[in-house]
Amino acid sequence: MTTTSEAAQHFAAKLRFETDPSDVRAAQVAGERFTLIDSRGDAAWAQGRIAGAVHLPTAEIAVRAGALVPLDLPVVVYCWGPGCNGATRAALAFSLLGYEVRELIGGFEYWAREGLPVEDEHGPVERAADPLTAPVGAVSCAC
């Protein structure tokens, strides 16, 4: 049987190591200091990405992270979406290098579905918010 204390520790840890699209967007707008890393491959990056993200595929993190991201800069990593554990692998790679890192739950899919800023090689891509993932006409779900 799980105790209340164990449950509280589990959920507190999740909040320390995970974040969601609306919280990352709010942090961007507030000018918070962090780097957003797209850990997907080249084809995925070319197809579209979160505006302002840095492209660093998971397989290259161990070799290239130090040159791209100062060790004292917090990192948020994302991959495709909830059906992909690529962001978890990327978060592990960054944490093994000593970075403070959080995983963007929902990944690129939910960022885009919430109507948040997306770009591709041609510039900004406009997307309406999906009413199944974000409130229509509101800044956040207030959860």
Side-chain angles (χ1 to χ4, degrees):
M1 178 191 272
T2 302
T3 67
T4 300
S5 175
E6 289 170 327
Q9 290 173 358
H10 168 77
F11 293 114
K14 282 185 69 156
L15 291 171
R16 213 169 60 243
F17 300 117
E18 295 177 352
T19 188
D20 64 28
S22 62
D23 287 345
V24 170
R25 182 62 184 152
Q28 285 178 325
V29 170
E32 291 183 24
R33 187 177 171 269
F34 69 97
T35 296
L36 183 60
I37 300 289
D38 184 320
S39 66
R40 302 172 303 152
D42 293 338
W45 173 260
Q47 187 172 320
R49 63 232 173 222
I50 295 174
V54 173
H55 187 221
L56 183 55
T58 300
E60 300 173 17
I61 291 171
V63 175
R64 296 182 52 221
L68 291 175
V69 184
L71 191 56
D72 67 341
L73 189 62
V75 173
V76 174
V77 296
Y78 73 90
C79 200
W80 273 110
C84 173
N85 66 4
T88 304
R89 288 193 303 274
L92 174 60
F94 271 103
S95 66
L96 290 171
L97 294 173
Y99 287 87
E100 176 187 334
V101 61
R102 295 176 83 186
E103 179 180 359
L104 175 61
I105 60 172
F108 178 72
E109 176 188 351
Y110 275 75
W111 180 276
R113 289 180 73 189
E114 289 187 22
L116 299 172
V118 171
E119 63 188 15
D120 64 17
E121 65 272 9
H122 305 292
V125 176
E126 296 296 322
R127 293 184 55 93
D130 179 340
L132 295 177
T133 64
V136 176
V139 175
S140 76
C141 65
C143 58

